[in-house]
């Protein structure tokens, strides 16, 4: 077809540009269930790329909860899609049960379940602030927060990563009348570092701004009860809007917000991705309740995970690798150059280890890295294989085998 008659022809050009820059992504197929070992495109790999931190995505207890929820509905004869917005007829007893559980989990007055963490962030920010208001957002916040800020049409001020002083300065310089919202990830997904929540909470209190935290990578992992970084740092009460996911450590799908009754009432009425979106299937809520049971009953899962991460960082840094400011189950190996990171990832993959390479624009120029995500499912042998391979890679480079990659 003549290009001038083909209104989508530009897509070929744009995809071509991505491909030429080595940035085009191709879908892969995971043939196995999610877990510490996976089969991808016919290859068995030790999986250091998932967010399934507590190894619950393939847990039999969650599967049993799903079967149970289907059985109890009309004698198990029906599938159980929610079929409508929660405001119409989509909300079920399981949604109500899960929201009660989540409110208890976070010791909050109320909770609201969204079909994804992405939706929870976007919809919540846009429901809290609008034109004439201001959002103050960490420069490394997740895409869903960035999109939420744009969607809200509030003026957005981006503060330097983890810099509560800069945040304070920006808030101090903002003299307009509107509402002010501070929003931050608690665990940052690429560097595995943690936001200075004590200092941020102090700024929020002094400046009278709302504080929203996204605990996506911390739910179930941090804090004595697994509530997240705010719990670990003792600042839960300073957080006005707590966002978490069911889709990472809890092994399910969905996002949630907990907070005061009036906050949740407002979101129920005004968060558009909640109001105008079909509720998640209620059997997912049943699985999430089972996952919350595990978080409550097996605190050693999160303790062991964080201890393993600590040991892994020590092993890497002893070998001269840079793990940045990681202090979580996400352990980056910062290699700098983008091509070197991708070659490194490829070399590990050829040894049966899946560790995603991360490059710009996801990370800053010159900060390309391999992102090791640990889960409770990794055995000592898995970890040992990774360490050996990374050490082997360093030795190869010293011998100049891959020296031309740099
Ligand atoms: C993954 C992630 C989300 C989105 O959660 P989903 O449930 O996967 O949509 C939100 N915030 C952060 C920081 C995340 O890493």
């Amino acid at each position: 077809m003549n290009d001038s008659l083909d209104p989508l022809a530009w897509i070929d050009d744009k995809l071509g540009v991505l491909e030429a820059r080595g940035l085009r992504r191709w879908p892969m197929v995971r043939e196995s269930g999610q877990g510490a070992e996976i089969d991808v495109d016919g290859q068995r790999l030790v999986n250091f790329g998932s967010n399934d931190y507590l190894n619950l995505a393939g847990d039999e207890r969650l599967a049993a909860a799903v079967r149970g929820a289907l059985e109890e509905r009309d004698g198990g004869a029906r599938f159980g899609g929610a079929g409508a917005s929660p405001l119409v007829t989509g909300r079920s007893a399981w949604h109500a049960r899960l929201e009660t559980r989540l409110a208890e989990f976070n010791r909050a007055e109320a909770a609201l379940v969204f079909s994804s963490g992405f939706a929870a962030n976007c919809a919540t920010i846009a429901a809290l602030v609008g034109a004439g208001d201001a959002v103050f957002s960490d420069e490394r916040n997740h895409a869903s927060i960035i999109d939420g800020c744009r969607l809200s049409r509030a003026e957005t001020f981006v503060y330097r990563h983890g810099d509560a002083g800069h945040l304070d300065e920006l808030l101090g310089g903002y003299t307009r009348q509107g509402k002010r919202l501070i929003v931050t990830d608690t665990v940052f997904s690429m560097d595995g570092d943690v936001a200075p929540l004590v200092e941020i909470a102090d700024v929020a209190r002094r400046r009278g701004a709302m504080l929203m935290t996204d605990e996506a990578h911390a739910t179930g992992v941090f804090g004595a009860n697994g509530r997240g970084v705010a719990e670990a740092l003792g600042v839960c009460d300073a957080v006005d809007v707590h966002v978490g996911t069911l889709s990472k450590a809890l092994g399910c799908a969905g996002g949630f917000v907990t907070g005061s009754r009036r906050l949740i009432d407002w979101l129920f009425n005004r968060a558009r991705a909640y109001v105008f979106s079909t509720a998640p299937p209620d059997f997912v809520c049943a699985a999430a309740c089972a996952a919350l049971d595990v978080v409550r009953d097996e605190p050693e899962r999160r303790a062991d995970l964080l201890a393993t991460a600590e040991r892994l960082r020590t092993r890497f840094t002893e070998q001269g690798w840079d793990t940045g400011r990681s202090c979580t189950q996400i352990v980056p190996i910062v290699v700098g150059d983008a091509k070197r990171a991708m070659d490194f990832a490829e070399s590990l993959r050829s040894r049966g280890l899946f560790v995603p390479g991360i490059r710009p624009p996801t990370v800053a120029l010159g900060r390309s890295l391999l992102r090791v995500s640990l889960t409770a499912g990794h055995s000592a042998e898995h970890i040992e294989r990774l360490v050996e391979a990374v050490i082997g890679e360093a030795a190869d480079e010293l011998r100049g085998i891959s020296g031309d990659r740099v």
Side-chain angles (χ1 to χ4, degrees):
M1 195 190 299
N2 181 328
D3 269 6
S4 63
L5 296 178
D6 180 358
L8 295 183
W10 62 270
I11 293 177
D12 301 331
D13 300 337
K14 293 278 188 194
L15 283 174
V17 170
L18 285 183
E19 199 163 347
R21 290 191 194 151
L23 294 177
R24 181 160 180 186
R25 306 287 300 263
W26 304 92
M28 27 180 195
V29 177
R30 172 169 47 74
E31 290 101 4
S32 64
Q34 186 61 272
E37 293 190 19
I38 50 173
D39 298 320
V40 176
D41 293 339
Q43 191 189 3
R44 172 130 287 224
L45 295 165
V46 184
N47 180 14
F48 291 103
S50 86
N51 305 315
D52 182 21
Y53 303 124
L54 293 181
N55 196 35
L56 292 177
D59 194 284
E60 174 51 33
R61 289 167 289 184
L62 274 62
V66 169
R67 284 193 296 273
L70 288 176
E71 287 298 322
E72 94 188 20
R73 177 173 304 290
D74 307 318
R78 303 206 189 150
F79 168 63
S85 161
L87 274 68
V88 185
T89 53
R91 191 169 187 272
S92 71
W94 270 112
H95 292 102
R97 249 175 257 169
L98 175 58
E99 286 171 355
T100 301
R101 285 291 307 271
L102 287 166
E104 285 168 7
F105 174 61
N106 273 346
R107 286 213 195 140
E109 285 175 13
L112 201 64
V113 170
F114 290 77
S115 47
S116 74
F118 200 107
N121 272 335
C122 283
T124 299
I125 294 171
L128 294 177
V129 286
D133 299 329
V135 196
F136 299 82
S137 173
D138 186 289
E139 67 181 341
R140 294 203 196 150
N141 274 343
H142 188 258
S144 55
I145 293 179
I146 296 170
D147 285 8
C149 293
R150 290 177 181 156
L151 197 59
S152 74
R153 285 185 263 177
E155 194 175 352
T156 301
F157 297 86
V158 175
Y159 62 90
R160 285 191 296 271
H161 178 54
D163 189 339
H166 190 213
L167 167 66
D168 192 35
E169 230 172 81
L170 290 175
L171 267 158
Y174 184 80
T175 52
R176 292 176 52 188
Q177 281 304 309
K179 290 176 260 153
R180 288 156 307 148
L181 173 70
I182 300 169
V183 58
T184 184
D185 287 11
T186 61
V187 170
F188 291 87
S189 56
M190 294 304 138
D191 299 276
D193 59 337
V194 163
L197 275 195
V198 174
E199 291 78 5
I200 290 173
D202 180 57
V203 172
R205 188 187 47 76
R206 278 191 292 105
R207 300 284 182 188
M210 299 180 278
L211 176 57
M212 170 171 163
T213 54
D214 177 359
E215 299 266 20
H217 294 278
T219 305
V221 177
F222 277 85
N225 297 284
R227 289 178 199 132
V229 172
E231 183 187 23
L233 297 178
V235 292
C236 286
D237 291 345
V239 174
D240 300 302
V241 187
H242 174 126
V243 177
T245 51
L246 306 172
S247 46
K248 290 179 173 143
L250 298 190
C252 301
F256 63 89
V257 178
T258 63
S260 62
R261 183 73 256 169
R262 66 183 175 188
L263 170 75
I264 298 304
D265 282 349
W266 177 250
L267 295 179
F268 179 83
N269 282 280
R270 277 292 179 269
R272 290 168 66 85
Y274 185 85
V275 175
F276 296 104
S277 184
T278 301
D282 58 1
F283 54 79
V284 173
C285 301
C289 286
L292 286 169
D293 289 344
V294 178
V295 170
R296 180 194 58 209
D297 298 338
E298 301 179 9
E300 65 280 6
R301 272 184 192 248
R302 53 184 169 273
D304 292 348
L305 174 65
L306 293 175
T308 305
E310 178 67 43
R311 283 194 302 273
L312 185 65
R313 272 191 297 276
T314 305
R315 300 281 301 274
F316 284 157
T317 47
E318 275 171 5
Q319 294 294 323
W321 293 103
D322 173 9
T323 57
R325 292 168 56 185
S326 162
C327 53
T328 66
Q329 74 281 12
I330 300 165
V331 181
I333 304 175
V334 183
V335 299
D337 178 73
K339 182 164 186 326
R340 187 177 168 215
M342 300 325 279
D343 287 348
F344 197 169
E346 197 47 51
S347 150
L348 292 178
R349 189 165 173 156
S350 71
R351 299 180 201 214
L353 301 163
F354 179 70
V355 185
I358 314 282
R359 59 199 154 167
T362 312
V363 289
L365 211 64
R367 289 279 300 173
S368 291
L369 52 88
L370 270 77
R371 177 183 182 272
V372 177
S373 294
L374 292 177
T375 79
H378 289 124
S379 66
E381 195 210 326
H382 290 142
I383 307 278
E384 211 46 46
R385 276 182 63 190
L386 175 67
V387 171
E388 290 300 317
V390 169
I391 291 172
E393 177 77 16
D396 284 352
E397 290 209 358
L398 287 176
R399 286 195 299 268
I401 293 174
S402 51
D404 60 347
R405 287 178 189 158
V406 183

